[in-house]
Amino acid sequence: MTTTNTHAALDIVTTRSAVAIQDRPLVPLSSWLTDAMEKCARVDQAFQILTPHDARITLPLRMMLGTRQARWVVQEPDEGYYDGFTGFPLEWDGAAFVVSEKAKEGPSETFLREVPDDDLGHHLVVSLSVVHDATSGPLLGGVIEDLARALAGTAPRCWGTAEPALSRWSPPELTDLCRRRSPASTLLVFMGPHGGDVPPFGGTVQVSRVTSGVKESITFALACPADREPPLEELEDLADRYTRTGVLRTLNVQWTPALLDLTYPSRAIGVPSPLAMGIGPEGVAEIGIEHALSAGATGRRIGDAASPGLWFPLADGDDTAAWARLRTLMEHLTEPATGTGRWRTS
């Protein structure tokens, strides 16, 4: 049952979901879509985007569609639908697109079609959480710039609240916008230069107020040629730096087969592998340094000896077994002390 269509970006609205139909070859995270997603989130309504089977989505939209209440619905060349990330068949149940009974037979044949090898490389995806002391009037965007310079050799080219990102990269202007919007959180996108010798990169950052200060939740993705090795040393150096300054909370790295232009098709390209995980001083103090280092994974201290963080290498490239290592590590790190409801603090 449909209800009143209350947003221009939405084509179907029911009590359970809102569907935006995007019939275009490349679908970005436009201002209309971000506004519609925020409206759906406020009322706990699922957001679903419907595209043709040969459409691609941009990196920022890919990040937004990875949330619990979002779904990428893909129209088959003839009849039917499938999930753009898993390939499992979907059907319209009258109020939302849901997984079909046909999913028991496996992913869509359209989803399983091969992508030309010439188009393939890897995406290095870094998920980083840092918290700045609000009393110091932090300049935001600096961590993003450090990531870009260390991994791509240059600062971002542009930023904005949606795509296309039209503002020239400027941490002071980015900071001013977030301050004006505070205490509400702000989602921003950033992108690197187009063309030239710089590998494509970009991502999103969610800026929000927390009890201990101002939090930046950053997702940074870099397109890497098939013959490039993951830059793990550079990432560990960054984790060490932000542990020493006390702002690092967590840093997670994944390595996934993907398109070199930093877009995402609704195709089965490959399985991501977790490469490494970093934990800042606050998390290490809560877990307990000795307990954390007794995990099966080989962890090492980073930052200052008096207030260390930890770095856990999990793989050095494509390695699906790394997921088992990560799962075992997380189970160990979150294991409560015997007989209490608190984490170990040894």
Side-chain angles (χ1 to χ4, degrees):
M1 176 181 175
T2 59
T3 60
T4 303
N5 192 329
T6 57
H7 195 283
L10 301 175
D11 298 279
I12 304 171
V13 181
T14 75
T15 54
R16 285 171 40 208
S17 72
V19 181
I21 300 174
Q22 296 287 296
D23 188 7
R24 53 197 302 179
L26 181 64
V27 186
L29 182 64
S30 67
S31 58
W32 280 24
L33 290 181
T34 57
D35 189 51
M37 288 180 183
E38 290 174 3
K39 186 167 186 176
C40 289
R42 287 196 296 269
V43 297
D44 197 30
Q45 186 179 40
F47 176 84
Q48 302 184 333
I49 187 167
L50 175 61
T51 73
H53 72 280
D54 53 356
R56 293 169 292 125
I57 61 175
T58 63
L59 169 68
L61 181 57
R62 167 66 180 85
M63 300 302 138
M64 293 297 291
L65 291 177
T67 60
R68 179 181 62 86
Q69 281 283 71
R71 166 162 275 160
W72 181 12
V73 183
V74 180
Q75 171 77 60
E76 292 275 13
D78 40 31
E79 294 184 0
Y81 307 91
Y82 63 92
D83 186 288
F85 298 126
T86 68
F88 288 120
L90 303 174
E91 63 184 12
W92 179 255
D93 72 354
F97 284 99
V98 298
V99 177
S100 166
E101 283 292 318
K102 293 181 179 179
K104 296 177 181 178
E105 302 171 8
S108 158
E109 291 297 327
T110 305
F111 179 78
L112 295 175
R113 288 193 302 185
E114 292 186 1
V115 175
D117 288 343
D118 291 346
D119 297 334
L120 290 178
H122 286 86
H123 289 176
L124 178 78
V125 181
V126 182
S127 300
L128 175 63
S129 174
V130 295
V131 176
H132 309 275
D133 182 358
T135 60
S136 63
L139 182 67
L140 304 176
V143 174
I144 295 172
E145 187 164 326
D146 287 344
L147 277 169
R149 291 190 182 282
L151 302 177
T154 186
R157 173 63 56 85
C158 55
W159 70 284
T161 56
E163 292 184 280
L166 299 177
S167 298
R168 188 177 183 85
W169 178 251
S170 170
E173 292 180 9
L174 184 155
T175 302
D176 287 343
L177 174 65
C178 294
R179 284 176 178 164
R180 292 197 303 270
R181 292 188 170 192
S182 182
S185 64
T186 299
L187 175 72
L188 302 171
V189 303
F190 59 89
M191 299 300 293
H194 296 287
D197 296 330
V198 178
F201 71 88
T204 63
V205 56
Q206 183 88 32
V207 178
S208 56
R209 287 297 302 268
V210 294
T211 303
S212 53
V214 180
K215 180 178 181 180
E216 288 183 279
S217 299
I218 301 163
T219 300
F220 178 98
L222 174 75
C224 301
D227 58 353
R228 177 172 176 177
E229 297 295 323
L232 290 175
E233 289 186 9
E234 292 89 338
L235 287 164
E236 184 175 355
D237 288 344
L238 286 169
D240 179 79
R241 181 194 309 180
Y242 291 117
T243 298
R244 292 180 186 278
T245 59
V247 300
L248 179 66
R249 292 302 182 265
T250 58
L251 190 158
N252 293 283
V253 189
Q254 288 190 10
W255 183 249
T256 181
L259 297 185
L260 289 171
D261 64 0
L262 213 61
T263 65
Y264 295 82
S266 57
R267 296 288 185 273
I269 294 180
V271 179
S273 298
L275 294 184
M277 181 176 73
I279 305 174
E282 185 177 279
V284 170
E286 182 181 355
I287 297 166
I289 184 71
E290 298 303 327
H291 175 63
L293 287 173
S294 69
T298 304
R300 48 182 176 260
R301 299 171 191 246
I302 54 175
D304 294 327
S307 184
L310 286 171
W311 182 255
F312 292 95
L314 298 167
D316 57 7
D318 293 314
D319 183 359
T320 55
W323 284 110
R325 298 185 200 110
L326 177 61
R327 182 168 56 251
T328 300
L329 174 62
M330 294 304 298
E331 289 172 352
H332 178 84
L333 295 179
T334 57
E335 179 187 5
T338 304
T340 74
R342 301 177 62 84
W343 306 124
R344 294 179 184 267
T345 56
S346 57

